[in-house]
């Protein structure tokens, strides 16, 4: 078995050699002109992925398409906008979608396993670990995981919002060597691909390479994400040491073969702990702590823990161990962290030094509000 890479992949030409890849395919890549599931498109994708698995590698497939697959059986002329009908379409369509994948992979002697996730599964550390163990075991057994957001039960409050972001979190969850985002365009362009003069961007080394790039175009009528959501997904993956190839489903074979297709996004950071990635991108915060300027500098510039003396206000209803936002005096979020006290306890601590708290309230109340090991800075978006 090929070992999982210890260091981030730096050259797309090495993609054929890496062990574990996450492939995300959008609804627009699996449907026909009427927005209905196209079995031939699905089988063409499976043929490529099955060949990679047969060569001794592992593939995790994050697939949209459940709602699109349920539109035709329910007689829906277009993608529903209300949550209840989306959930109904997903309930009907998810089984059909997985049935198609099951038959297509079975033709190559491979089995698939359905995994449905909600954001809640990555917001709660216990569920995050359970999902991680289940996916690792599926891969060890030679099964291809087919992952989708659990649209049938997800609510607006706990949903990922799109499978692009889900794919990035799954890539970290399974310690993938690379991620491939398949969409209805063959790469990132300097402007809308249909505009004269727009050129494909072959490589992006960091966020600065995207300055001035117009990515405002919306996604297709059967999908939920445009290029903006894909670049947000790319940012999550690359910041945690996972390179990304963005291209069309028609070019997936060439992309996985390391050819110069689509857009290659180099890893910009190092792999971080699952806890910090969960906290940065998947945690639903329960409240916020307002920091004075001194505390902002201590947290952002010096990497210090957050002490009660540097907090001017607390908002929300949270318990000890819950994720909260750390904001400056203007309400700008600078970090997220796991608070060590409940919302009921915090007001009595604000503005006091740890030595004062120890003297007034006793041992145990002199600890940090948020320890530096339970804190992650939030990168400001341009």
């Amino acid at each position: 078995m090929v070992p999982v890479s210890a260091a981030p992949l730096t050259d797309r030409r090495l993609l054929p050699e890496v062990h574990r890849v996450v492939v995300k395919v959008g609804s627009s890549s699996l449907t026909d002109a009427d927005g209905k599931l196209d079995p031939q498109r699905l089988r063409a994708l499976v043929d490529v992925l099955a060949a990679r698995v047969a060569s001794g590698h592992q593939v995790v497939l994050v697939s949209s398409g459940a709602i699109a697959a349920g539109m035709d059986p329910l007689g829906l002329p277009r993608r529903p906008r209300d949550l209840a009908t989306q959930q109904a379409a997903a309930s009907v369509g998810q089984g059909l979608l997985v049935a198609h994948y099951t038959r297509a992979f079975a033709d190559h002697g491979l089995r698939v396993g359905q995994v449905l996730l909600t954001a809640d599964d990555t917001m709660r550390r216990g569920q995050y670990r359970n999902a991680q163990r289940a996916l690792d075991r599926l891969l060890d057994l030679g099964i291809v995981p087919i992952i989708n957001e659990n649209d049938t039960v997800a609510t607006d409050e706990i949903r990922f919002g799109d499978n692009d972001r889900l794919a990035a979190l799954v890539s970290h969850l399974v310690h993938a060597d690379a991620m491939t985002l398949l969409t209805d365009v063959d790469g990132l362009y300097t402007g809308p691909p249909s505009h004269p003069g727009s050129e494909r961007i072959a490589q992006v080394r960091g966020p600065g390479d995207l300055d001035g790039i117009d990515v405002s175009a919306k996604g297709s009528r059967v999908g939920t994400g445009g290029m903006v959501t894909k670049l947000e997904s790319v940012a999550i993956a690359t910041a945690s040491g996972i390179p990304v190839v963005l291209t069309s489903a028609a070019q997936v074979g060439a992309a996985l073969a390391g050819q110069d297709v689509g857009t290659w996004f180099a890893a910009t950071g190092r792999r971080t702990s699952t806890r910090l990635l969960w906290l940065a991108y998947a945690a639903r915060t329960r409240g916020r702590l307002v920091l004075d300027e001194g505390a902002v500098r201590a947290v952002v510039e010096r990497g210090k823990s957050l002490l009660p003396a540097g907090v001017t206000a607390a908002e929300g209803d949270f318990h000890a161990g819950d994720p909260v936002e750390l904001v400056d005096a203007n309400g700008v979020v600078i970090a997220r962290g796991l608070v060590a006290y409940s919302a009921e306890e915090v007001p009595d601590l604000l503005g006091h030094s740890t030595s004062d708290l120890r003297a007034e309230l006793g041992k145990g109340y002199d600890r940090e509000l948020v320890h530096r090991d339970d804190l992650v800075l939030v990168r400001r978006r341009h």
Side-chain angles (χ1 to χ4, degrees):
M1 183 174 289
V2 182
V4 177
S5 301
L9 184 66
T10 57
D11 189 334
R12 73 155 75 200
R13 291 174 295 183
L14 298 177
L15 270 172
E17 302 175 19
V18 302
H19 183 43
R20 185 175 291 183
V21 175
V22 170
V23 176
K24 184 269 176 179
V25 61
S27 298
S28 61
S29 300
L30 297 174
T31 53
D32 58 22
D34 296 324
K36 300 175 183 178
L37 186 67
D38 186 340
Q40 292 185 340
R41 284 189 167 195
L42 184 146
R43 281 188 170 270
L45 171 63
V46 168
D47 289 345
V48 174
L49 301 185
R52 186 173 180 91
V53 175
S55 66
H57 303 281
Q58 294 180 340
V59 172
V60 177
L61 178 60
V62 178
S63 177
S64 300
I67 293 177
M71 288 167 53
D72 193 33
L74 293 179
L76 300 174
R78 62 185 64 84
R79 182 184 176 90
R81 295 185 177 182
D82 65 288
L83 181 60
T85 308
Q86 288 177 5
Q87 291 172 324
S91 177
V92 172
Q94 185 63 36
L96 296 173
L97 180 66
V98 173
H100 279 288
Y101 276 125
T102 300
R103 289 192 293 268
F105 275 105
D107 288 344
H108 297 274
L110 296 173
R111 294 170 296 169
V112 305
Q114 176 181 254
V115 180
L116 298 178
L117 298 174
T118 68
D120 207 41
D121 296 319
T122 63
M123 289 188 293
R124 301 182 185 279
R125 289 163 64 182
Q127 291 168 249
Y128 188 103
R129 294 294 189 185
N130 288 338
Q132 189 175 55
R133 285 192 293 267
L135 288 168
D136 282 341
R137 187 59 181 147
L138 285 171
L139 291 166
D140 289 342
L141 292 170
I143 296 171
V144 180
I146 309 293
I147 300 176
N148 196 358
E149 181 170 16
N150 195 350
D151 291 305
T152 301
V153 300
T155 65
D156 286 330
E157 185 179 30
I158 66 171
R159 63 190 298 114
F160 285 103
D162 60 80
N163 273 342
D164 297 319
R165 187 163 175 257
L166 172 59
L169 292 169
V170 166
S171 295
H172 190 278
L173 185 74
V174 300
H175 299 285
D177 299 299
M179 179 174 79
T180 301
L181 288 179
L182 303 179
T183 182
D184 51 2
V185 294
D186 60 355
L188 178 65
Y189 280 73
T190 54
S194 59
H195 287 191
S198 293
E199 298 180 351
R200 178 177 68 93
I201 301 172
Q203 177 173 297
V204 175
R205 296 177 299 276
D209 290 352
L210 299 178
D211 290 345
I213 304 300
D214 180 11
V215 294
S216 58
K218 295 183 179 180
S220 71
R221 64 190 180 91
V222 295
T224 60
M227 190 57 71
V228 170
T229 66
K230 288 169 178 57
L231 292 184
E232 290 175 346
S233 169
V234 167
I236 296 171
T238 56
S240 57
I242 302 170
V244 180
V245 178
L246 170 67
T247 190
S248 64
Q251 294 182 328
V252 60
L256 293 176
Q259 298 178 24
D260 183 16
V261 297
T263 302
W264 166 264
F265 295 86
T268 58
R270 301 180 63 86
R271 293 183 187 269
T272 185
S273 70
T274 53
R275 177 178 61 175
L276 292 183
L277 191 79
W278 163 82
L279 185 58
Y281 295 108
R284 175 160 51 96
T285 55
R286 307 290 180 173
R288 54 171 43 191
L289 302 176
V290 183
L291 282 58
D292 62 26
E293 188 58 34
V296 170
R297 288 196 300 270
V299 169
V300 175
E301 299 174 10
R302 302 200 299 276
K304 299 293 186 180
S305 299
L306 177 63
L307 301 177
V311 179
T312 60
E315 304 169 2
D317 182 17
F318 50 83
H319 300 284
D322 280 345
V324 296
E325 291 180 334
L326 278 55
V327 305
D328 64 17
N330 297 317
V332 176
V333 180
I334 62 166
R336 285 180 167 190
L338 302 179
V339 65
Y341 299 88
S342 69
E344 295 179 352
E345 296 175 294
V346 168
D348 293 333
L349 311 178
L350 302 186
H352 295 281
S353 68
T354 52
S355 58
D356 288 343
L357 292 173
R358 185 187 308 114
E360 295 176 12
L361 301 176
K363 188 177 180 180
Y365 283 91
D366 55 352
R367 63 189 187 276
E368 302 87 349
L369 267 183
V370 180
H371 193 275
R372 61 182 299 174
D373 292 341
D374 294 325
L375 184 153
V376 60
L377 298 181
V378 175
R379 296 187 178 185
R380 298 184 183 181
R381 295 177 181 172
H382 296 288

